[in-house]
Amino acid sequence: MHQIEEDLDPFKFWQTIRDISVDTWLKMIVDLLNTKTYAKTTSMMLNSYLLFSLPSQQILEKLIIHALAKAQTPTRKDINKLAEELLSVDTKIDNLSDELKLLRELLLTKNQVKN
């Protein structure tokens, strides 16, 4: 009974055509994407896009920096500067800690010599 329903399915023909069409398009697209010509063309288009979009990217970056400044939000440059200053403070604290350890050892040694 089930086989008879499949044979009488009015969409079976269209499903077969669709499957064949999809397989054909898939093979054509894969073949196209694997060519050097496609890679070269895509590369040229990407380079052109990046070249022509650079001025608008620079304008957008300036607008964002201006908006961040108006909102008193730190920029990447501000955060980097803060990070550098924190690193400098950390280094100075480490140096002071090393000097204190050395002084402590010297005092201990001096006290041991007196006793």
Side-chain angles (χ1 to χ4, degrees):
M1 179 80 178
H2 186 66
Q3 181 64 28
I4 295 173
E5 288 177 1
E6 275 188 21
D7 291 340
L8 295 177
D9 183 7
F11 297 106
K12 184 72 173 168
F13 173 73
W14 295 109
Q15 289 173 343
T16 304
I17 289 177
R18 183 205 61 204
D19 293 343
I20 292 170
S21 176
V22 166
D23 290 341
T24 303
W25 275 103
L26 181 64
K27 184 181 180 319
M28 287 175 30
I29 290 171
V30 168
D31 290 344
L32 172 70
L33 294 178
N34 287 329
T35 62
K36 287 186 179 185
T37 305
Y38 176 79
K40 186 176 180 181
T41 303
T42 304
S43 173
M44 288 171 41
M45 287 172 47
L46 179 61
N47 286 338
S48 296
Y49 169 75
L50 293 175
L51 179 68
F52 290 118
S53 68
L54 184 62
S56 59
Q57 287 176 358
Q58 290 171 340
I59 291 170
L60 181 62
E61 184 176 335
K62 288 178 183 176
L63 287 172
I64 289 172
I65 289 171
H66 182 71
L68 290 174
K70 285 287 187 185
Q72 296 181 345
T73 304
T75 63
R76 178 178 287 158
K77 185 178 177 182
D78 296 334
I79 293 172
N80 285 339
K81 185 175 179 182
L82 180 61
E84 288 172 3
E85 290 176 7
L86 286 173
L87 185 61
S88 174
V89 168
D90 184 52
T91 303
K92 289 177 183 178
I93 289 172
D94 286 343
N95 290 342
L96 286 172
S97 176
D98 292 341
E99 288 178 17
L100 285 173
K101 285 179 187 176
L102 181 62
L103 284 172
R104 182 173 178 247
E105 288 174 6
L106 287 173
L107 285 173
L108 287 174
T109 306
K110 191 173 183 178
N111 285 339
Q112 286 176 355
V113 171
K114 282 186 180 181
N115 292 333

